[in-house]
């Protein structure tokens, strides 16, 4: 930078710094102290101002800018990182006697020493370690195997309760550990959205939190509203002095800007520990996030060394795990729900019962095998449990309360909706109704999936309108949507719910959906096992509908992440004449039936690449697209026709051997970039 530009940009740099500080402050008040100092609009305006300046002066943008909270950068791969301090786990127990033994043993080992305990919640999430140097977050790593974890720094930066820059008098070099949790509210909203988008919901907040940290797109992680609960702080020996009690360290961490939950207590004896455990065993259901127990730590950190470690865990701490709460309640009846694929799910209607803070009325019975394995009889009392997961589960039958002479539950053999005999495909646990075209919930379910946000995204066509159009005989399959005419729509509904404007908006939204990319059209078709990601992979691999229609099962199975089961399902689906007709009608209506490739060059014309390993600048999908955009072809396996093997890091040795055997040249990422002139 020359002298003039240095002088020029200084005021801008200062302005950016001030904006960042102000936004950090507002974030802190909002997330740590539940206080809004400005309106959402004002906040957004400040953030936008900073974003604009960063776009204009990228060289002045800080990697710790609060704009990083919204994400946007893409994780190419999650680098493996060795932990500076191994991430130990804790001894754990469900038994109060063992907690008493732990306490007595600790007292014996510390032989007359004055000490206390800190009791805190055991957060039910994903453990991560955050390294701070000079008050700045430099790295976030998952627990992994305790010695080596994954670098998830980009995603961690999007979590508002992880401070990017510390406040106050911070230690120069230390690690903060804690748990990333998915608060119940945010988790449920997120799962509802997933279902509306035709995706499988996550089983519980912990799995969802774990999946979120491993998302490639950090902007997607930012949307998930995760929370970080700090529970541990450590510094390398001799460099830094931290407070000498664990409790003190947590308070100190709070001053530095971490979110430390208020549910911590210093306990002086076993009676206080037990009281804390008993309290939270009952009160845990009122917390906004999941906890699966209580962690008890010796408070005086100087005593930790004296107590030492066992093979895997410290002797100065232990976790008491809450037992899953269990009740029994009578089974009143069973509903059999039919999904869009025809899959039948039995659901138990239960006498309402209180369990872990909510009233349970229904619970899934999964499938016929599940019912048979518990030998469930009519009128049985079922045991229901609610563990760390918020979804209640049937875990058994209370045999002692079985009504006399009650008969085993007979699984239905006909569809409860349309009466068609059910089938159970070989190797599958579920029953299906095969009447895809005549069974109401299947037809409506497919339509709902087709118009959902991540598919064709025809917002104005909600479930009620679809039902209306179906009952009016206007829409029976997804292709019918594109034949709707204005005069058919107006006045539709019991109270003429669709009027001029509604009809115009609906037709406009349908028109817009014709621009939805091919990969989403594929997803919208609702083939079994083909989710959003699978559809993308299929689209990228085959490029257009005709190649996909012509593909054999073996070819389909070549596609990354498409296994044999999915390959067969896709092949079977595409082979059915009624599906081919729908595809042709959609094509005629003008939907996208091929990937729109923006060609960037033709340097790779006539060359075929096989791509393997992990790359520095691209994800694997990106590099494949890049090859195609420069005129090259990508193939799944090395053969005599392969021009180059493009090798990233960690490429399998088999691939290399095969390439060498067939005399295929091996390219590094840099050599490849040179080849396309970048
Ligand atoms: S302390 C050396 N405190 O439970 C002690 N752990 O098996 C480090 N956890 O891996 C752990 N809440 O992921 C501690 N308040 C808490 C915790 C907590 C959840 C997790 C953590 C650890 C596992 C112990």
């Amino acid at each position: 930078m020359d002298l003039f530009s240095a002088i020029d940009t200084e005021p801008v740099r200062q302005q950016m710094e001030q904006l960042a500080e102000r936004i950090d402050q507002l974030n802190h008040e909002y997330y740590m102290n539940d206080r809004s100092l400005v309106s959402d609009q004002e906040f957004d305006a400040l953030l936008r101002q900073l974003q604009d300046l960063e776009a204009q002066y990228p060289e002045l943008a800080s990697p710790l800018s609060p704009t990083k909270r919204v994400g946007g950068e893409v994780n190419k791969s999650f680098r493996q990182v060795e932990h500076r301090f191994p991430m130990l786990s804790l001894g754990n127990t469900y038994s109060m006697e063992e907690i008493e033994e732990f306490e007595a043993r600790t007292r014996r080992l510390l032989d007359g020493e004055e000490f206390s305990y800190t009791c805190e919640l055991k957060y039910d999430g994903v453990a991560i370690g955050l390294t701070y140097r000079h008050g700045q977050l430099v790295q976030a790593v998952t627990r992994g195997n305790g010695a080596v974890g994954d670098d998830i720094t980009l995603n961690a930066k999007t979590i508002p309760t992880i401070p990017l820059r510390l406040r106050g008098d911070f230690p120069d070099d230390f690690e903060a550990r804690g748990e990333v949790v998915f608060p119940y509210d945010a988790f449920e909203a997120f799962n509802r959205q997933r279902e509306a988008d035709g995706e499988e919901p996550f089983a519980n907040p912990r799995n969802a939190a774990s999946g979120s940290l491993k998302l490639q797109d950090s902007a997607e992680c930012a949307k998930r509203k995760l929370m970080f609960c700090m529970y541990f702080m450590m510094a390398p020996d001799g460099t830094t002095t931290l407070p000498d009690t664990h409790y003190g360290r947590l308070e100190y961490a709070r001053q530095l800007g971490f979110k430390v939950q208020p549910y911590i207590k210093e306990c002086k004896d076993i009676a206080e520990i037990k009281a804390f455990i008993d309290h939270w065993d009952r009160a845990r259901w009122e917390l906004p996030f999941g906890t699966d127990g209580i962690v008890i730590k010796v408070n005086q950190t100087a005593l930790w060394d004296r107590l030492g470690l066992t093979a895997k865990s410290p002797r100065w701490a232990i976790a008491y795990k809450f037992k899953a709460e269990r009740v029994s309640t009578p089974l009143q009846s069973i509903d059999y729900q039919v999904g869009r694929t025809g899959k039948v799910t039995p659901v138990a209607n239960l006498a309402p019962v209180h369990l872990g803070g909510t009233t349970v009325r229904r619970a899934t019975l999964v499938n016929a095998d599940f019912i048979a394995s518990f030998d469930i009889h009519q009128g049985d009392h079922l045991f229901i449990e609610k563990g760390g997961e918020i979804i209640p589960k049937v875990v058994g039958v209370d045999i002692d309360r079985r009504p006399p002479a009650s008969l085993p539950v007979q699984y239905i053999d006909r569809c409860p909706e349309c009466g068609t005999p059910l089938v159970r495909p070989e190797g599958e646990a579920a029953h299906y109704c095969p009447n895809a075209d005549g069974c109401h919930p299947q037809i409506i379910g497919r339509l709902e999936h087709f118009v959902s946000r991540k598919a064709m995204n025809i917002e104005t066509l909600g479930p009620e309108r679809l039902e209306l159009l179906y009952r009016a005989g206007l829409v029976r399959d997804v292709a019918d949507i594109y034949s709707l005419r204005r005069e058919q729509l107006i006045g539709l509904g019991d109270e003429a719910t669709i009027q001029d404007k509604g009809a115009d908006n609906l037709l406009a939204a349908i028109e817009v959906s014709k621009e939805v990319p091919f990969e989403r059209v594929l997803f919208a078709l609702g083939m079994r096992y083909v989710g959003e990601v699978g559809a993308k992979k299929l689209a990228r691999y085959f490029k257009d509908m005709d190649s996909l229609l012509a593909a054999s099962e073996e070819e389909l199975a070549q596609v990354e992440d498409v296994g044999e089961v999915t390959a067969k399902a896709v092949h079977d689906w595409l082979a059915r004449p009624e599906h081919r007709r729908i595809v042709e009608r959609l094509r005629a209506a003008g939907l996208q039936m091929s990937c729109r490739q923006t060609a960037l060059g033709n340097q790779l014309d006539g060359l075929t690449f096989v791509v393997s390993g992990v790359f520095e600048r691209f994800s694997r999908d990106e590099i494949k697209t890049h090859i195609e955009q420069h005129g090259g072809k990508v193939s799944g396996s090395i053969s005599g026709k392969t021009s180059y093997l493009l090798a990233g890091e960690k490429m399998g040795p088999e691939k290399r051997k095969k390439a060498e055997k067939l005399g295929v040249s091996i390219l590094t990422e840099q050599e490849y970039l040179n080849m396309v002139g970048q």
Side-chain angles (χ1 to χ4, degrees):
M1 199 188 295
D2 63 49
L3 185 63
F4 292 106
S5 67
I7 292 167
D8 274 341
T9 53
E10 182 52 24
V12 181
R13 199 196 56 75
Q14 276 181 19
Q15 190 193 357
M16 287 168 79
E17 184 59 41
Q18 277 163 12
L19 271 169
E21 265 172 37
R22 175 79 178 139
I23 296 167
D24 278 343
Q25 172 70 18
L26 294 171
N27 262 332
H28 181 83
E29 288 299 330
Y30 187 81
Y31 288 104
M32 311 285 178
N33 301 331
D34 295 322
R35 251 198 320 245
S36 292
L37 300 183
V38 297
S39 69
D40 287 0
Q41 291 88 315
E42 278 174 82
F43 182 84
D44 290 344
L46 289 170
L47 195 66
R48 195 137 345 106
Q49 213 181 333
L50 183 56
Q51 278 169 331
D52 289 348
L53 285 170
E54 287 179 353
Q56 218 177 327
Y57 302 93
E59 71 281 7
L60 301 181
S62 156
L64 295 174
S65 159
T67 58
K68 295 284 181 264
R69 298 284 196 204
V70 290
E73 283 176 78
V74 172
N75 296 286
K76 303 285 184 229
S77 64
F78 296 94
R79 200 166 54 91
Q80 299 250 304
V81 184
E82 201 171 323
H83 289 291
R84 191 152 51 136
F85 316 103
M87 264 178 117
L88 303 174
S89 63
L90 293 178
N92 66 68
T93 176
Y94 288 94
S95 128
M96 198 62 106
E97 285 78 62
E98 286 188 29
I99 297 297
E100 287 168 12
E101 284 164 23
F102 162 82
E103 200 282 329
R105 185 174 59 238
T106 309
R107 225 171 340 107
R108 196 172 60 242
L109 288 169
L110 293 177
D111 191 25
E113 189 89 46
E114 281 259 340
F115 71 100
S116 60
Y117 300 94
T118 303
C119 291
E120 60 197 275
L121 299 178
K122 185 171 181 335
Y123 309 107
D124 194 10
V126 185
I128 63 168
L130 305 171
T131 304
Y132 286 85
R133 293 217 175 88
H134 318 303
Q136 306 196 326
L137 174 68
V138 294
Q139 192 173 62
V141 183
T142 61
R143 182 171 191 281
N145 64 8
V148 178
D150 293 321
D151 183 334
I152 48 131
T153 312
L154 277 182
N155 286 344
K157 280 185 186 172
T158 69
I159 300 176
T161 38
I162 292 181
L164 304 179
R165 288 186 269 209
L166 301 176
R167 14 178 74 219
D169 186 14
F170 47 76
D172 202 46
D173 178 14
F174 73 101
E175 186 170 332
R177 287 192 179 162
E179 205 85 354
V180 173
V181 298
F182 212 141
Y184 290 142
D185 278 359
F187 171 71
E188 276 175 52
F190 167 64
N191 252 357
R192 269 199 303 275
Q193 184 62 56
R194 273 181 83 85
E195 283 176 307
D197 292 342
E199 288 174 287
E200 273 294 301
F202 275 99
N204 58 56
R206 184 183 354 94
N207 290 357
S210 167
S212 303
L213 292 179
K214 298 300 288 291
L215 283 167
Q216 289 219 312
D217 180 0
S218 59
E220 185 57 34
C221 184
K223 287 189 207 142
R224 304 261 174 116
K225 305 205 169 76
L226 301 171
M227 183 166 80
F228 178 68
C229 301
M230 206 270 194
Y231 61 59
F232 204 63
M233 192 171 179
M234 65 221 301
D237 279 342
T239 59
T240 314
T241 18
L242 299 175
D244 60 5
T245 63
H246 178 65
Y247 196 90
R249 288 183 183 184
L250 293 180
E251 286 195 315
Y252 177 47
R254 195 177 280 141
Q255 288 164 25
L256 299 179
F258 289 98
K259 180 115 188 162
V260 177
Q261 293 298 329
Y263 324 107
I264 324 166
K265 189 172 190 293
E266 184 178 349
C267 293
K268 62 177 188 311
D269 56 26
I270 185 71
E272 289 188 1
I273 293 173
K274 277 171 139 178
F276 188 84
I277 291 177
D278 283 341
H279 170 75
W280 284 110
D281 201 355
R282 278 172 282 115
R284 64 181 148 136
W285 302 108
E286 279 136 50
L287 289 167
F289 52 80
T291 164
D292 56 344
I294 296 294
V295 180
I296 303 137
K297 300 171 187 165
V298 168
N299 196 24
Q300 286 69 20
T301 59
L303 302 178
W304 291 356
D305 279 347
R306 273 182 51 193
L307 291 163
L309 305 174
T310 68
K312 288 190 305 230
S313 50
R315 270 204 199 82
W316 43 264
I318 192 166
Y320 174 84
K321 299 249 279 182
F322 295 131
K323 289 179 205 59
E325 216 180 321
R326 172 187 282 207
V327 290
S328 92
T329 187
L331 169 65
Q332 294 180 322
S333 61
I334 299 178
D335 286 342
Y336 293 86
Q337 295 178 342
V338 182
R340 77 174 153 87
T341 59
K343 183 172 166 180
V344 176
T345 308
V347 179
N349 292 308
L350 305 162
V353 62
H354 220 68
L355 179 65
T358 52
T359 305
V360 178
R361 294 187 172 80
R362 290 159 71 77
T364 178
L365 293 173
V366 189
N367 56 38
D369 288 350
F370 185 91
I371 294 173
S373 71
F374 288 120
D375 185 28
I376 298 176
H377 286 217
Q378 286 163 9
D380 262 346
H381 278 68
L382 302 184
F383 285 120
I384 315 292
E385 248 185 30
K386 195 155 151 184
E389 346 232 306
I390 49 179
I391 301 147
K393 266 205 273 211
V394 173
V395 293
V397 172
D398 194 350
I399 296 287
D400 297 342
R401 297 171 79 178
R402 174 165 290 168
S406 82
L407 296 170
V409 166
Q410 276 288 311
Y411 205 78
I412 49 167
D413 53 14
R414 286 175 177 274
C415 176
E417 301 281 342
C418 69
T420 307
L422 298 179
V423 293
R424 181 172 170 176
E426 215 181 281
E428 285 212 38
H431 285 74
Y432 286 83
C433 166
N435 181 21
D437 298 320
C439 180
H440 184 259
Q442 295 190 58
I443 299 168
I444 292 290
R446 279 197 303 272
L447 293 169
E448 283 179 11
H449 172 76
F450 185 81
V451 302
S452 65
R453 193 170 61 98
K454 295 206 170 165
M456 303 309 286
N457 192 23
I458 309 176
E459 278 174 40
T460 46
L461 214 43
E464 281 131 54
R465 282 199 168 168
L466 284 173
E467 185 69 50
L468 209 59
L469 293 169
Y470 174 75
R471 272 194 279 131
L474 293 173
V475 173
R476 297 263 148 181
D477 62 45
V478 299
D480 289 337
I481 293 173
Y482 294 92
S483 324
L484 289 171
R485 292 192 313 275
R486 194 168 187 275
E487 62 273 19
Q488 293 176 315
L489 295 171
I490 290 174
L492 219 54
D494 294 342
E495 285 149 31
T497 33
I498 303 187
Q499 288 301 331
D500 289 6
K501 197 154 185 314
D504 289 340
N505 288 345
L506 181 50
L507 290 172
I510 292 172
E511 197 56 32
V512 168
S513 77
K514 293 179 182 171
E515 294 305 313
V516 162
F518 177 50
E519 58 193 48
R520 275 168 53 196
V521 175
L522 272 187
F523 173 60
L525 291 175
M527 294 181 266
R528 265 170 77 194
Y529 312 118
V530 179
E532 218 191 324
V533 176
K536 199 175 279 184
K537 304 253 153 135
L538 287 170
R540 301 247 167 104
Y541 190 93
F542 289 102
K543 308 277 183 307
D544 56 42
M545 189 52 103
D546 288 327
S547 317
L548 185 64
L549 288 171
S552 67
E553 231 175 281
E554 291 72 37
E555 260 178 285
L556 286 161
Q558 289 283 310
V559 180
E560 195 179 343
D561 291 346
V562 173
E564 275 170 40
V565 177
T566 311
K568 180 168 184 339
V570 172
H571 193 258
D572 289 355
W573 195 95
L574 292 170
R576 306 260 304 255
E578 64 272 28
H579 294 156
R580 295 231 163 190
R581 275 196 294 275
I582 288 180
V583 168
E584 290 319 319
R585 285 167 60 210
L586 292 175
R587 194 202 300 268
L591 270 66
Q592 299 302 315
M593 291 292 161
S594 62
C595 291
R596 279 197 200 140
Q597 287 276 356
T598 32
L600 300 176
N602 57 2
Q603 296 93 318
L604 307 179
D605 262 358
L607 299 176
T608 302
F609 290 78
V610 171
V611 174
S612 180
V614 179
F615 297 90
E616 178 85 14
R617 280 198 34 189
F618 304 89
S619 74
R620 195 137 70 219
D621 281 335
E622 284 168 356
I623 207 160
K624 286 180 181 172
T625 308
H626 196 261
I627 292 171
E628 288 156 4
Q629 286 173 333
H630 290 83
K633 275 210 187 108
V634 181
S635 144
S637 59
I638 303 174
S639 70
K641 289 187 212 143
T642 311
S643 323
Y644 292 102
L645 170 61
L646 181 44
E649 266 176 67
K650 297 192 212 155
M651 181 181 72
E654 289 308 311
K655 280 238 163 77
R656 181 175 295 276
K657 245 190 247 161
K658 185 148 187 210
E660 280 163 2
K661 196 167 136 220
L662 293 174
V664 172
S665 316
I666 302 177
L667 280 186
T668 65
E669 186 175 358
Q670 190 53 51
E671 286 166 339
Y672 166 77
L673 287 170
N674 295 343
M675 198 166 188
V676 292
Q678 289 191 0

PDB file of all heavy atoms in Angstrom, residues 75-87:
ATOM      1  N   ASN A  75     -17.230 -24.057   3.647  1.00  0.00           N
ATOM      2  CA  ASN A  75     -16.216 -24.980   4.143  1.00  0.00           C
ATOM      3  C   ASN A  75     -15.886 -25.978   3.043  1.00  0.00           C
ATOM      4  O   ASN A  75     -16.732 -26.766   2.655  1.00  0.00           O
ATOM      5  CB  ASN A  75     -16.758 -25.757   5.341  1.00  0.00           C
ATOM      6  CG  ASN A  75     -17.048 -24.845   6.509  1.00  0.00           C
ATOM      7  OD1 ASN A  75     -16.135 -24.379   7.165  1.00  0.00           O
ATOM      8  ND2 ASN A  75     -18.312 -24.581   6.753  1.00  0.00           N
ATOM      9  N   LYS A  76     -14.675 -25.930   2.527  1.00  0.00           N
ATOM     10  CA  LYS A  76     -14.300 -26.872   1.466  1.00  0.00           C
ATOM     11  C   LYS A  76     -14.216 -28.275   2.047  1.00  0.00           C
ATOM     12  O   LYS A  76     -14.666 -29.242   1.493  1.00  0.00           O
ATOM     13  CB  LYS A  76     -12.941 -26.503   0.874  1.00  0.00           C
ATOM     14  CG  LYS A  76     -12.882 -25.102   0.329  1.00  0.00           C
ATOM     15  CD  LYS A  76     -13.625 -24.976  -0.991  1.00  0.00           C
ATOM     16  CE  LYS A  76     -13.450 -23.573  -1.529  1.00  0.00           C
ATOM     17  NZ  LYS A  76     -14.729 -22.997  -1.929  1.00  0.00           N
ATOM     18  N   SER A  77     -13.562 -28.356   3.178  1.00  0.00           N
ATOM     19  CA  SER A  77     -13.501 -29.631   3.890  1.00  0.00           C
ATOM     20  C   SER A  77     -13.202 -29.248   5.322  1.00  0.00           C
ATOM     21  O   SER A  77     -12.799 -28.123   5.587  1.00  0.00           O
ATOM     22  CB  SER A  77     -12.392 -30.504   3.332  1.00  0.00           C
ATOM     23  OG  SER A  77     -11.158 -29.876   3.563  1.00  0.00           O
ATOM     24  N   PHE A  78     -13.413 -30.157   6.239  1.00  0.00           N
ATOM     25  CA  PHE A  78     -13.144 -29.835   7.628  1.00  0.00           C
ATOM     26  C   PHE A  78     -11.792 -30.417   7.995  1.00  0.00           C
ATOM     27  O   PHE A  78     -11.647 -31.616   8.144  1.00  0.00           O
ATOM     28  CB  PHE A  78     -14.267 -30.368   8.514  1.00  0.00           C
ATOM     29  CG  PHE A  78     -15.577 -29.698   8.216  1.00  0.00           C
ATOM     30  CD1 PHE A  78     -16.469 -30.261   7.322  1.00  0.00           C
ATOM     31  CD2 PHE A  78     -15.887 -28.481   8.783  1.00  0.00           C
ATOM     32  CE1 PHE A  78     -17.662 -29.629   7.015  1.00  0.00           C
ATOM     33  CE2 PHE A  78     -17.081 -27.833   8.488  1.00  0.00           C
ATOM     34  CZ  PHE A  78     -17.967 -28.415   7.600  1.00  0.00           C
ATOM     35  N   ARG A  79     -10.819 -29.529   8.078  1.00  0.00           N
ATOM     36  CA  ARG A  79      -9.452 -29.936   8.341  1.00  0.00           C
ATOM     37  C   ARG A  79      -9.371 -30.626   9.709  1.00  0.00           C
ATOM     38  O   ARG A  79     -10.009 -30.208  10.661  1.00  0.00           O
ATOM     39  CB  ARG A  79      -8.589 -28.680   8.371  1.00  0.00           C
ATOM     40  CG  ARG A  79      -7.112 -28.865   8.155  1.00  0.00           C
ATOM     41  CD  ARG A  79      -6.481 -27.499   7.862  1.00  0.00           C
ATOM     42  NE  ARG A  79      -6.807 -26.511   8.897  1.00  0.00           N
ATOM     43  CZ  ARG A  79      -6.068 -26.276   9.974  1.00  0.00           C
ATOM     44  NH1 ARG A  79      -4.963 -26.959  10.176  1.00  0.00           N
ATOM     45  NH2 ARG A  79      -6.415 -25.374  10.858  1.00  0.00           N
ATOM     46  N   GLN A  80      -8.559 -31.674   9.799  1.00  0.00           N
ATOM     47  CA  GLN A  80      -8.377 -32.362  11.073  1.00  0.00           C
ATOM     48  C   GLN A  80      -7.315 -31.629  11.886  1.00  0.00           C
ATOM     49  O   GLN A  80      -6.259 -31.287  11.351  1.00  0.00           O
ATOM     50  CB  GLN A  80      -7.916 -33.793  10.824  1.00  0.00           C
ATOM     51  CG  GLN A  80      -8.911 -34.606  10.040  1.00  0.00           C
ATOM     52  CD  GLN A  80      -9.549 -35.651  10.906  1.00  0.00           C
ATOM     53  OE1 GLN A  80      -8.879 -36.463  11.498  1.00  0.00           O
ATOM     54  NE2 GLN A  80     -10.865 -35.609  11.005  1.00  0.00           N
ATOM     55  N   VAL A  81      -7.604 -31.389  13.137  1.00  0.00           N
ATOM     56  CA  VAL A  81      -6.701 -30.627  13.982  1.00  0.00           C
ATOM     57  C   VAL A  81      -6.437 -31.397  15.278  1.00  0.00           C
ATOM     58  O   VAL A  81      -7.361 -31.953  15.862  1.00  0.00           O
ATOM     59  CB  VAL A  81      -7.328 -29.270  14.364  1.00  0.00           C
ATOM     60  CG1 VAL A  81      -6.354 -28.439  15.169  1.00  0.00           C
ATOM     61  CG2 VAL A  81      -7.770 -28.518  13.132  1.00  0.00           C
ATOM     62  N   GLU A  82      -5.192 -31.389  15.706  1.00  0.00           N
ATOM     63  CA  GLU A  82      -4.862 -32.046  16.961  1.00  0.00           C
ATOM     64  C   GLU A  82      -5.199 -31.106  18.118  1.00  0.00           C
ATOM     65  O   GLU A  82      -4.896 -29.913  18.054  1.00  0.00           O
ATOM     66  CB  GLU A  82      -3.374 -32.378  16.976  1.00  0.00           C
ATOM     67  CG  GLU A  82      -3.031 -33.467  17.940  1.00  0.00           C
ATOM     68  CD  GLU A  82      -1.588 -33.901  17.765  1.00  0.00           C
ATOM     69  OE1 GLU A  82      -1.107 -33.936  16.616  1.00  0.00           O
ATOM     70  OE2 GLU A  82      -0.953 -34.180  18.784  1.00  0.00           O
ATOM     71  N   HIS A  83      -5.824 -31.637  19.161  1.00  0.00           N
ATOM     72  CA  HIS A  83      -6.126 -30.797  20.316  1.00  0.00           C
ATOM     73  C   HIS A  83      -4.858 -30.512  21.108  1.00  0.00           C
ATOM     74  O   HIS A  83      -4.045 -31.396  21.330  1.00  0.00           O
ATOM     75  CB  HIS A  83      -7.123 -31.502  21.240  1.00  0.00           C
ATOM     76  CG  HIS A  83      -8.495 -31.573  20.668  1.00  0.00           C
ATOM     77  ND1 HIS A  83      -9.292 -30.463  20.502  1.00  0.00           N
ATOM     78  CD2 HIS A  83      -9.228 -32.613  20.204  1.00  0.00           C
ATOM     79  CE1 HIS A  83     -10.445 -30.816  19.975  1.00  0.00           C
ATOM     80  NE2 HIS A  83     -10.432 -32.122  19.767  1.00  0.00           N
ATOM     81  N   ARG A  84      -4.731 -29.269  21.532  1.00  0.00           N
ATOM     82  CA  ARG A  84      -3.563 -28.907  22.327  1.00  0.00           C
ATOM     83  C   ARG A  84      -3.649 -29.595  23.687  1.00  0.00           C
ATOM     84  O   ARG A  84      -2.673 -30.085  24.225  1.00  0.00           O
ATOM     85  CB  ARG A  84      -3.534 -27.387  22.507  1.00  0.00           C
ATOM     86  CG  ARG A  84      -2.263 -26.879  23.077  1.00  0.00           C
ATOM     87  CD  ARG A  84      -1.966 -25.462  22.631  1.00  0.00           C
ATOM     88  NE  ARG A  84      -3.081 -24.540  22.826  1.00  0.00           N
ATOM     89  CZ  ARG A  84      -2.940 -23.320  23.319  1.00  0.00           C
ATOM     90  NH1 ARG A  84      -1.758 -22.885  23.696  1.00  0.00           N
ATOM     91  NH2 ARG A  84      -3.966 -22.509  23.432  1.00  0.00           N
ATOM     92  N   PHE A  85      -4.851 -29.598  24.272  1.00  0.00           N
ATOM     93  CA  PHE A  85      -5.108 -30.363  25.495  1.00  0.00           C
ATOM     94  C   PHE A  85      -6.127 -31.412  25.100  1.00  0.00           C
ATOM     95  O   PHE A  85      -7.148 -31.060  24.526  1.00  0.00           O
ATOM     96  CB  PHE A  85      -5.726 -29.469  26.574  1.00  0.00           C
ATOM     97  CG  PHE A  85      -5.068 -28.130  26.704  1.00  0.00           C
ATOM     98  CD1 PHE A  85      -5.666 -26.994  26.176  1.00  0.00           C
ATOM     99  CD2 PHE A  85      -3.852 -28.003  27.356  1.00  0.00           C
ATOM    100  CE1 PHE A  85      -5.073 -25.753  26.292  1.00  0.00           C
ATOM    101  CE2 PHE A  85      -3.250 -26.760  27.480  1.00  0.00           C
ATOM    102  CZ  PHE A  85      -3.853 -25.633  26.947  1.00  0.00           C
ATOM    103  N   PRO A  86      -5.847 -32.694  25.393  1.00  0.00           N
ATOM    104  CA  PRO A  86      -6.812 -33.708  24.968  1.00  0.00           C
ATOM    105  C   PRO A  86      -8.202 -33.394  25.530  1.00  0.00           C
ATOM    106  O   PRO A  86      -8.321 -32.842  26.619  1.00  0.00           O
ATOM    107  CB  PRO A  86      -6.258 -35.007  25.554  1.00  0.00           C
ATOM    108  CG  PRO A  86      -5.115 -34.639  26.424  1.00  0.00           C
ATOM    109  CD  PRO A  86      -4.711 -33.238  26.122  1.00  0.00           C
ATOM    110  N   MET A  87      -9.217 -33.717  24.760  1.00  0.00           N
ATOM    111  CA  MET A  87     -10.578 -33.467  25.243  1.00  0.00           C
ATOM    112  C   MET A  87     -11.076 -34.719  25.937  1.00  0.00           C
ATOM    113  O   MET A  87     -11.511 -35.670  25.301  1.00  0.00           O
ATOM    114  CB  MET A  87     -11.485 -33.081  24.078  1.00  0.00           C
ATOM    115  CG  MET A  87     -11.615 -31.576  23.945  1.00  0.00           C
ATOM    116  SD  MET A  87     -12.609 -31.086  22.560  1.00  0.00           S
ATOM    117  CE  MET A  87     -13.954 -30.251  23.358  1.00  0.00           C
TER     118      MET A  87
END
